[in-house]
Amino acid sequence: MRILDLILDMVHADDFLSMEYFMKKYQVSKRTLQNDLSFLSRISSQKGFQLQHVRGRGYLLRVYDEKAFHEYVATFGDSSNDHHNRLENIFAYLLLQSDFVTMEVIADAFDISVSLLKKERDAIIEMAERFHLAYESKTHHGIRITGSYSDIKDAVAELYFYENPIIKKEVDHQAVHGTYQKIEERLIGEFKIHDFNINYSEMKNITVWLRVTIYMNLRYATPVVKVKKAGDAFYDICSSVLNEIYKVYDIGFQEYEAEAFHDLIQSNIRKKVPEVCFSARLQVDIDEFLASIDQEYQTAFNEDQDFKKLLLTHVSLLVDRLHQKISYKNTLIDEICFRYPMSFNIAIRFCDMLSEKYQVTVTHDEIGFVATHFVVHMEKESRYKMKRFNKIGVVCSSGGGSAYLIKMKIESLFEEADVRTFSLMDMKDLTEYQPDIIFTIKELDIPVQVPVIYIKELLDDTDLLRIKEVLHFDMYDSFSLDDGQPYYTSLFQKEFFEIVDDDKEYLDILKEMAEQIEASGYGGKGYCQYVLERESYMNTIYVNGICLPHPIEMCAEKNLISVKILKRPILYEHKQARMIFMISLTKDGYEILKDITRKLYELMNNDRLVNELSKSASFEEFMAVMKTMG
């Protein structure tokens, strides 16, 4: 279908595509293409993409909602895949032939013309090369696919795994029919004997490999090689199953295939962890991990008994499930990853510990569930910051009505604290009161050893929010309530801002940014390594192409946000990156990070702001837009 072809052309293009390009490719009139593109423009806002037209350059398609876009593309159904399916089926057909096949025979088999088949030559060659195979053509003989036994087998296995109808029909007819059931029964029986667990997808990995290997060995008449037991449980299973195959099919596996089967079994099944002392052992491991995190970040995870109890219960069930090859889908994974990056990073490290000590593979979705426990505790710590101030002194010009209004406003922030007002003449009384924090309208002429925040005579709701911000950040000296700009705007610097218009890879750009931050002295030792390590777990490209790369361990010497605007969006792991905000924060920057991610979350869900920022021609223009967020 031409509509889908137009969409895919633009998605995969690096630049605008002209009307002339489409007219030449699809051999249709300009009016027909204008109708198609007009239709796409009308529906784009509901389908997760935006069609841009620039006179003299052509058309550009930008995806801003991956889910909605892919759902729309999926609605085209099988008809949109006819071309790809036909090519794959022709390749599969050739793969199964032992000699040359004429063009006429192939064309008849697929009900196409010989001329069309000749046009598909390059695409079939490309498919063959993907499997390290060769496309051969011989006059008066036809064409064929050639290659080594192992490469042909790999190609057959992949096509069978994804249920190509031609490969599946051939393999199942030759190698499976009614007899394969005995092989599978023996395989499952051996798993039970050795107390192993396996899930559906892992079982499919093994059965596909077995069926294809049986088919190939029947086809090439592999000599019989019996496998002896070697004392290893995986070898025992391997030898039992291969010897059963010999009985059923009268074929054997080559020695390297037996080794491959052993490795396949070992990588897809796990033995249950003994339940004896499991909880006690897990509790010790959790305590040790939390102690190291508390020391690193000056947190108090190990002191929160409710948190530890819930975490132990969750992880006990998690490890048990993972040993049974059962994992759950987390529909909030992206939001958790973005809105609570520090908690998610701690959860990644925690799950790495589980993987190492309990031989389990923890999925990204499961890491997200674990992260929510760390989020809850860190939110508790955030609230405790406000509760640490039990005695609050408020210094006003007099003890009149304005002082009472300030007292009421401050009490709304510190509900359990003792808030007292003092006039500028009552400094002796203020000293004797010994407050934990002081709010004052004027500079004090007495020495104090507690935080002092300078306020206005009348406080509004915005002022109260900024007071909370100051207290959460613990940055009383550098953060003034009289400053009209939010704290996060001070993290942007001109020398760490760039507009790029090149074809570099996403990870290469991240590496350059991280190396600049580390070399400048902001990032701290190992900053670049930690950024790339975090990205290796799960990319940080989010809605509307906003990216938030950051280190897996907070290691910065100073707080900073480095920015790159990509004039040509980069496709990475099926996501489009448009604007990169690389975060560099000190170890005590949890509250700052939370505030930044909250602001960027608002940004990424505001198409107008994203578009305005992406059009910025300078650092000054960029900051002017950022400051409108308040």
Side-chain angles (χ1 to χ4, degrees), residues 242-464:
L242 294 190
N243 289 331
E244 184 68 21
I245 290 172
Y246 164 64
K247 291 180 186 177
V248 173
Y249 293 99
D250 195 27
I251 58 166
F253 280 18
Q254 298 179 57
E255 188 173 343
Y256 79 88
E257 289 179 323
E259 289 293 334
F261 185 40
H262 168 273
D263 295 343
L264 184 69
I265 293 172
Q266 189 172 23
S267 64
N268 280 278
I269 60 178
R270 289 287 185 275
K271 207 168 181 63
K272 288 183 179 179
V273 174
E275 295 183 2
V276 180
C277 298
F278 173 72
S279 293
R281 172 186 164 195
L282 184 60
Q283 182 68 71
V284 170
D285 289 333
I286 289 174
D287 287 346
E288 290 178 353
F289 176 86
L290 295 180
S292 67
I293 293 295
D294 285 343
Q295 182 177 5
E296 182 176 345
Y297 289 108
Q298 299 304 302
T299 49
F301 287 109
N302 236 342
E303 298 174 14
D304 188 343
Q305 298 304 318
D306 290 337
F307 155 75
K308 288 171 63 176
K309 183 178 179 181
L310 289 172
L311 183 64
L312 175 63
T313 301
H314 178 100
V315 175
S316 297
L317 296 172
L318 172 63
V319 171
D320 185 58
R321 279 194 292 105
L322 293 177
H323 276 120
Q324 298 179 56
K325 309 300 179 182
I326 300 171
S327 60
Y328 297 148
K329 190 72 178 171
N330 188 341
T331 58
L332 297 175
I333 181 64
D334 285 340
E335 190 167 348
I336 293 169
C337 182
F338 181 86
R339 300 189 70 169
Y340 306 102
M342 185 171 172
S343 296
F344 192 81
N345 290 351
I346 292 173
I348 287 174
R349 296 167 63 183
F350 179 79
C351 291
D352 277 350
M353 178 272 290
L354 294 180
S355 298
E356 179 183 346
K357 295 193 173 185
Y358 297 90
Q359 292 77 53
V360 293
T361 300
V362 188
T363 64
H364 292 156
D365 297 281
E366 296 286 7
I367 291 174
F369 288 126
V370 172
T372 58
H373 291 284
F374 288 95
V375 170
V376 170
H377 170 79
M378 296 192 85
E379 288 300 308
K380 283 185 188 177
E381 287 201 23
S382 178
R383 292 185 182 183
Y384 291 154
K385 283 192 173 184
M386 300 298 289
K387 293 183 178 180
R388 61 190 159 157
F389 303 109
N390 298 310
K391 299 170 68 176
I392 299 171
V394 180
V395 179
C396 309
S397 57
S398 68
S402 61
Y404 184 70
L405 285 174
I406 293 176
K407 182 177 186 294
M408 287 182 61
K409 290 285 188 180
I410 297 296
E411 283 179 335
S412 69
L413 289 178
F414 305 92
E415 297 178 356
E416 300 177 11
D418 176 19
V419 181
R420 297 186 189 180
T421 59
F422 302 86
S423 74
L424 292 171
M425 306 297 294
D426 297 330
M427 292 300 96
K428 182 180 179 182
D429 294 340
L430 175 65
T431 303
E432 291 177 352
Y433 176 58
Q434 296 184 336
D436 300 316
I437 188 171
I438 298 172
F439 294 90
T440 176
I441 63 169
K442 290 187 179 293
E443 191 169 344
L444 303 178
D445 57 4
I446 59 171
V448 293
Q449 303 299 320
V450 298
V452 176
I453 296 179
Y454 295 91
I455 59 174
K456 298 182 292 187
E457 191 80 36
L458 294 175
L459 295 175
D460 57 26
D461 290 341
T462 301
D463 294 324
L464 294 179

Side-chain angles (χ1 to χ4, degrees), residues 3 15 23 193 198-199 205 241 284 402 450-451 454 492 504 508 522 544 557 566 597 607 613:
I3 289 290
D15 203 350
M23 290 170 64
I193 290 171
I198 190 168
N199 65 18
N205 290 336
V241 173
V284 170
S402 61
V450 298
Y454 295 91
F492 298 100
K504 290 182 180 177
D508 290 338
Y522 277 85
N544 256 329
E557 298 295 332
L566 309 177
T597 54
D607 290 349
L613 286 173

